[in-house]
Amino acid sequence: MSGVSGEIEEEIESTDPLYKAVFDHAEDAIFLMEDGVFVRCNWKALSIFGCNNKDDIIGKTPFDFSPDLQPDGVSSKEKGKFFIKKALEGEPQRFEWLHHKLDGEPFFTEVSLNRVGIPGGPPKLLAIVRDISQRKSLERQLSHAQRMEAMGVLAGGIAHDFNNMLAAILGNLSLISIEARRRGSFEEIVRYAENAEKIVNQAAQITKRLLTFTSRSSLTMKVIDPIPVVKETVDILRRTIDRRIYIDFQRDEEKIWKVRADITELQHIFMNLCINAADTLMDRIENECYHSASLKEDPPAITIRVKNVEIKDEYVRRFPFARIGRFVAFSVSDNGCGMDETTLKRVFDPFFTTKGIGKGTGLGLAMVYGLVKQHKGWIIAESKPGVGSTFTFYISSERDGGEVREHRKDNEKEARTHVGKGDKSLSIMLAEDEVVVRDVCSTMLEHLGHRVVVARDGEEAVELYKKHAPDLVFLDLTMPKLSGEEALKLILEHDPDAKVVISSGHPKDAYCQKLLEMGARLYLQKPYRIKEVKETIEKVMEE
């Protein structure tokens, strides 16, 4: 092979020195091919293909650096020979190609093939190969972000509709309980109704998890030292997961920076990641997955690490969803089964799970993704089959020790348990477009002794308010013709002292806070029971 290389080098020395300099110092790999074999390459080709010298390349074919199949499932040889044939016929070819380095590591390239040659000489092909691995990675990240956004919209819609249904069910059950107690009998009905209430409340937790994923739920943010939160999580895990799994907590610095976070939700993030790690380790313990080492040689373990990091330009170029600045990086690693690339791409997708039936909902990691996003951070998953997985999320550090509470009025009062002016009969307007919710809520209000006027949309709500001037308004935020916000604005323009309670299936968020600042008195989240309706009326009328 060295003889061929020497002949080529001698030929090159006789060429134009400027041509040789451009060829050897180009930023892309350049190859000259004859009869399907590499006869020359530049120095960049060595670094891209992980070779030590040109003899590792010259005399070989492109298929020596290609997998058997391309990503579309077509044979590399079959597909490559087609492109070579077309290029030799004088049709320039440009395409993406999956190569592998000398050590077998795969990487994506963009290849340009053109026919070249000296008149009278044998035809040659000039191949220019560009490493586009980083570009492909960014494309995958963008695609994933777009898919997550679409899934978030879908999840939010499902949660909203589901909560409307739960509101009707829960309201009717509350009425059954009250009627049964009033008659002094029907103990069984009371018991069944209360059991049904518990089930509905459990179902409502599903929507809470969906709304967390869509970043619609509110957080109580504080500047905190994260170490006690992590330590508490570790203590809980050591008491609850299988004792065969070792938990190791590491901190890279003596003083970890403070972060702005919701303490409860930060613990939820850790618990979900650690439980996920424990599940895959149990699969390994029970011999349900491949692992390169025995349990004795590589005991099952979860490693939790916290460290201070400064994110700079270079990192943001690799991960465009990241931000420059000071962050605390939290990672949860396991030496469990690991994931292949296909699974890794979908690991944060809602409802996606590799667990068996009845062992997982597919919302745990999706909820983690949503919570980290709400903390204005980001999360990265890394994994290899038979090696394990590492989930690392980043939260911005805080230098001060202040405290902030998001989506909450500073002067919001605690719920009162005594009965105030809500005892007297009131004129109440209920604006709700969902028939089942409207019927059950109006029944609740009538049961409490109030006179009810119903509006089926935002426009009708404004008209009826001007006509009847009710003492209180229950206003749904999602209605046809006029939205809740538009109706609220028009009602307050007509009567600045109007008492309006806004309601929605979504948790209280920044949008709700905006409406409260506009003049709405309270926010009531669906589904609600008759007791909560009564307490809401009392609070508003006592202001």
Side-chain angles (χ1 to χ4, degrees):
M1 195 68 68
S2 60
V4 175
S5 177
E7 291 172 8
I8 297 297
E9 292 300 328
E10 287 177 8
E11 178 185 341
I12 292 166
E13 290 298 332
S14 64
T15 62
D16 184 346
L18 179 59
Y19 166 80
K20 182 179 184 300
V22 171
F23 186 95
D24 280 336
H25 297 288
E27 281 301 307
D28 295 324
I30 302 177
F31 303 87
L32 204 59
M33 294 171 57
E34 185 175 340
D35 295 327
V37 175
F38 294 130
V39 296
R40 187 189 171 192
C41 67
N42 65 351
W43 295 110
K44 184 67 176 180
L46 301 185
S47 63
I48 288 182
F49 284 82
C51 298
N52 297 318
N53 55 66
K54 292 185 177 181
D55 285 343
D56 290 333
I57 294 176
I58 293 172
K60 295 184 179 180
T61 73
F63 311 119
D64 292 321
F65 296 92
S66 302
D68 292 337
L69 299 176
Q70 287 297 302
D72 58 5
V74 178
S75 163
S76 291
K77 286 189 177 180
E78 180 183 341
K79 197 170 186 176
K81 286 178 179 178
F82 171 81
F83 289 131
I84 290 172
K85 180 176 179 292
K86 286 290 185 181
L88 287 171
E89 290 173 352
E91 294 182 28
Q93 302 294 304
R94 190 183 187 91
F95 51 91
E96 290 185 2
W97 193 261
L98 180 62
H99 278 107
H100 62 67
K101 297 185 179 183
L102 190 64
D103 63 2
E105 180 185 348
F107 67 107
F108 279 97
T109 64
E110 185 178 76
V111 180
S112 174
L113 277 182
N114 288 276
R115 176 177 171 170
V116 295
I118 301 171
K124 294 187 172 94
L125 285 180
L126 179 69
I128 300 176
V129 180
R130 174 171 295 177
D131 186 344
I132 59 169
S133 298
Q134 185 176 5
R135 190 182 82 191
K136 296 294 285 187
S137 174
L138 295 176
E139 288 174 356
R140 285 196 299 270
Q141 291 169 22
L142 177 60
S143 174
H144 183 263
Q146 290 170 336
R147 186 169 68 253
M148 294 294 283
E149 190 72 24
M151 289 299 293
V153 173
L154 174 62
I158 292 171
H160 179 267
D161 291 345
F162 190 30
N163 262 335
N164 273 331
M165 295 168 67
L166 291 177
I169 296 170
L170 199 56
N172 276 301
L173 290 172
S174 296
L175 291 168
I176 289 172
S177 295
I178 290 170
E179 286 297 321
R181 288 192 180 93
R182 175 183 289 177
R183 296 174 186 272
S185 59
F186 303 112
E187 291 84 358
E188 287 297 303
I189 294 177
V190 173
R191 185 166 64 85
Y192 292 147
E194 289 176 346
N195 287 340
E197 280 193 48
K198 292 177 184 178
I199 295 169
V200 171
N201 286 328
Q202 291 171 4
Q205 293 303 308
I206 296 175
T207 63
K208 180 180 179 182
R209 294 168 78 182
L210 281 169
L211 291 165
T212 298
F213 167 69
T214 63
S215 303
R216 293 294 301 270
S217 59
S218 59
L219 300 179
T220 301
M221 307 292 278
K222 298 179 181 178
V223 175
I224 61 167
D225 178 358
I227 297 302
V229 178
V230 181
K231 285 183 175 178
E232 184 179 352
T233 305
V234 171
D235 289 342
I236 294 171
L237 285 166
R238 284 177 175 155
R239 294 194 302 268
T240 55
I241 68 173
D242 194 287
R243 297 297 176 89
R244 290 171 290 182
I245 299 174
Y246 174 69
I247 300 176
D248 182 26
F249 172 42
Q250 302 175 2
R251 49 193 294 180
D252 285 9
E253 292 86 7
E254 182 63 29
K255 183 65 176 176
I256 296 295
W257 296 330
K258 292 184 177 181
V259 297
R260 188 179 298 277
D262 182 301
I263 295 176
T264 302
E265 301 302 357
L266 182 59
Q267 190 173 61
H268 283 171
I269 293 172
F270 272 110
M271 288 297 292
N272 271 280
L273 291 177
C274 290
I275 290 171
N276 198 65
D279 286 345
T280 189
L281 287 169
M282 286 306 299
D283 286 343
R284 183 185 162 206
I285 290 171
E286 294 168 3
N287 296 316
E288 292 186 13
C289 64
Y290 164 79
H291 198 273
S292 57
S294 69
L295 294 174
K296 186 175 181 180
E297 294 172 346
D298 187 17
I302 297 173
T303 302
I304 298 172
R305 175 173 290 177
V306 183
K307 64 178 180 178
N308 301 329
V309 295
E310 290 200 31
I311 303 298
K312 300 183 179 179
D313 288 340
E314 182 180 350
Y315 183 93
V316 175
R317 281 195 292 270
R318 289 179 56 210
F319 303 101
F321 46 78
R323 304 197 318 276
I324 296 173
R326 301 193 340 161
F327 293 82
V328 176
F330 306 85
S331 67
V332 176
S333 302
D334 66 74
N335 57 348
C337 300
M339 296 175 280
D340 58 27
E341 190 172 344
T342 301
T343 303
L344 191 59
K345 288 177 182 177
R346 300 192 58 192
V347 72
F348 294 116
D349 289 0
F351 305 113
F352 174 75
T353 178
T354 58
K355 298 176 183 178
I357 296 174
K359 293 185 178 180
T361 62
L363 284 173
L365 290 177
M367 186 173 71
V368 166
Y369 179 92
L371 286 171
V372 172
K373 187 177 177 182
Q374 280 187 273
H375 281 81
K376 297 181 173 58
W378 66 94
I379 184 168
I380 295 171
E382 301 169 283
S383 186
K384 286 186 179 180
V387 176
S389 304
T390 297
F391 290 85
T392 305
F393 64 96
Y394 298 78
I395 296 180
S396 179
S397 71
E398 287 286 337
R399 299 189 184 189
D400 60 88
E403 180 176 319
V404 63
R405 290 182 178 269
E406 291 192 349
H407 315 317
R408 229 178 242 194
K409 281 188 175 180
D410 292 336
N411 63 346
E412 190 172 312
K413 300 174 183 178
E414 293 297 322
R416 295 179 175 86
T417 55
H418 64 279
V419 178
K421 296 179 183 178
D423 282 338
K424 71 177 184 179
S425 177
L426 302 172
S427 170
I428 298 178
M429 184 177 76
L430 172 65
E432 171 63 63
D433 65 307
E434 293 284 346
V435 177
V436 290
V437 180
R438 188 168 65 239
D439 288 348
V440 72
C441 191
S442 62
T443 304
M444 285 183 186
L445 293 170
E446 289 170 355
H447 185 89
L448 291 170
H450 304 300
R451 304 179 307 280
V452 184
V453 177
V454 296
R456 293 163 293 185
D457 56 59
E459 190 175 278
E460 190 175 24
V462 176
E463 292 174 358
L464 290 176
Y465 188 88
K466 291 179 179 179
K467 182 179 179 179
H468 296 282
D471 298 313
L472 181 64
V473 177
F474 278 80
L475 185 66
D476 181 45
L477 294 184
T478 308
M479 293 187 295
K481 296 188 178 180
L482 287 178
S483 68
E485 179 181 358
E486 293 168 328
L488 174 65
K489 183 178 180 181
L490 292 173
I491 289 171
L492 291 174
E493 285 178 359
H494 174 75
D495 179 9
D497 295 324
K499 297 184 187 312
V500 181
V501 175
I502 54 176
S503 180
S504 171
H506 291 294
K508 185 178 176 185
D509 58 9
Y511 176 63
C512 297
Q513 181 64 30
K514 172 187 171 185
L515 300 188
L516 291 170
E517 291 170 357
M518 279 176 56
R521 300 302 178 92
L522 279 178
Y523 175 72
L524 180 62
Q525 184 184 340
K526 303 174 187 175
Y528 41 73
R529 287 165 287 205
I530 193 167
K531 177 185 175 184
E532 292 159 349
V533 173
K534 183 175 185 291
E535 290 174 348
T536 299
I537 294 171
E538 291 170 359
K539 287 178 70 174
V540 173
M541 299 310 295
E542 286 181 357
E543 288 184 349

